């Protein structure tokens, strides 16, 4: 079974790597592949690859925008969706996901600071659940995709975009030095 055919994932961030690298595993702990950040790029850029190094998709952060925005692209470079975060909000965070044409696919509900939240469709049905496992040394996200026909690439892309932005906002000086 390929990485993007799964419905449950664990994403571990490697602590000692030159660039942000995440190991993607299935619910049984079997490694499925990696999500890696480009070392030098204009804006944050990540790519997904399986264990054999086959390119599965990309997550491209926009540099000039009125809010944080990431495009999620498939292996052929076609935009599958966009993840956006409102920059100025009095309390908490506001994240949403759009398709390639700008139609809303989902809103994110829950506690972004504690990394426990649901990705919810406009009809209020749950698409996926994401939770940060606090009992580990490194960041470990547990992801369960509830809506069976929803593209796992979009959920994985959202989790990486959120992790990147939240780390950068908590540590603005070191985040910029480390490319986060």
């Amino acid at each position: 079974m390929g990485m993007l055919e799964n419905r449950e994932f664990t994403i571990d961030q490697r602590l000692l790597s030159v660039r942000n690298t995440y190991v993607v595993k299935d619910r049984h702990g079997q490694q499925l592949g990696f999500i890696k950040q480009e070392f030098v790029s204009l804006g944050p850029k990540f790519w997904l690859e399986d264990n054999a190094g086959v390119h599965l998709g990309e997550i491209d952060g926009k540099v000039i925008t009125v809010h944080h925005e990431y495009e999620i692209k498939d292996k052929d470079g076609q935009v599958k969706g966009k993840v956006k975060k409102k920059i100025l909000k009095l309390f908490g965070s506001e994240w949403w996901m759009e398709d390639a044409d700008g139609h809303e696919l989902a809103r994110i509900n829950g506690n972004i600071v504690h990394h426990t939240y649901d990705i919810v469709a406009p009809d209020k049905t749950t698409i996926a659940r994401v939770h940060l496992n606090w009992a580990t040394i490194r960041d470990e996200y547990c992801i369960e995709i509830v809506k069976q026909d929803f593209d796992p690439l979009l959920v994985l892309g959202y989790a990486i975009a959120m992790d990147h932005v939240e780390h950068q906002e908590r540590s603005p000086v070191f985040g910029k030095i480390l490319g986060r």
Side-chain angles (χ1 to χ4, degrees):
M1 181 183 287
M3 183 189 328
L4 297 179
E5 295 166 7
N6 282 279
R7 292 289 177 239
E8 293 182 37
F9 301 91
T10 301
I11 301 175
D12 294 329
Q13 185 173 19
R14 287 192 173 169
L15 288 177
L16 300 173
S17 62
V18 175
R19 60 177 162 234
N20 285 340
T21 300
Y22 302 84
V23 178
V24 182
K25 301 175 185 173
D26 67 13
R27 66 185 179 117
H28 304 293
Q30 295 291 93
Q31 182 175 304
L32 300 170
F34 301 94
I35 301 173
K36 298 179 179 178
Q37 184 176 15
E38 289 228 3
F39 192 62
V40 177
S41 66
L42 185 59
K45 183 173 181 151
F46 299 84
W47 76 91
L48 291 81
E49 64 182 43
D50 66 15
N51 288 327
V54 175
H55 182 83
L56 302 173
E58 299 174 4
I59 306 158
D60 294 336
K62 299 295 178 192
V63 177
I64 300 174
T65 181
V66 294
H67 48 254
H68 296 288
E69 181 177 330
Y70 291 78
E71 287 186 338
I72 302 169
K73 300 176 183 177
D74 65 14
K75 63 182 177 184
D76 299 320
Q78 297 296 315
V79 176
K80 300 292 283 182
K82 297 175 184 177
V83 175
K84 298 179 179 183
K85 180 188 182 223
K86 192 174 194 176
I87 289 179
L88 298 174
K89 184 163 167 89
L90 193 55
F91 296 106
S93 297
E94 183 175 344
W95 288 85
W96 67 96
M97 188 182 300
E98 299 174 352
D99 65 15
D101 296 323
H103 301 101
E104 185 174 314
L105 293 174
R107 289 272 168 179
I108 288 55
N109 295 333
N111 192 324
I112 302 295
V113 173
H114 293 108
H115 300 288
T116 301
Y117 50 92
D118 291 338
I119 299 173
V120 180
D123 67 0
K124 307 294 184 218
T125 58
T126 300
I127 294 170
R129 293 185 176 98
V130 181
H131 173 73
L132 175 66
N133 187 354
W134 292 100
T136 59
I137 295 172
R138 61 182 171 240
D139 286 350
E140 179 181 88
Y141 292 92
C142 300
I143 299 171
E144 176 191 9
I145 301 173
V146 178
K147 189 174 180 184
Q148 294 303 311
D149 62 342
F150 201 80
D151 189 346
L153 179 62
L154 294 174
V155 176
L156 291 170
Y158 170 72
I160 297 303
M162 181 273 313
D163 181 68
H164 184 263
V165 169
E166 296 299 325
H167 273 100
Q168 187 176 34
E169 289 179 354
R170 282 194 306 264
S171 179
V173 173
F174 292 114
K176 290 187 185 348
I177 292 170
L178 296 173
R180 299 183 103 184

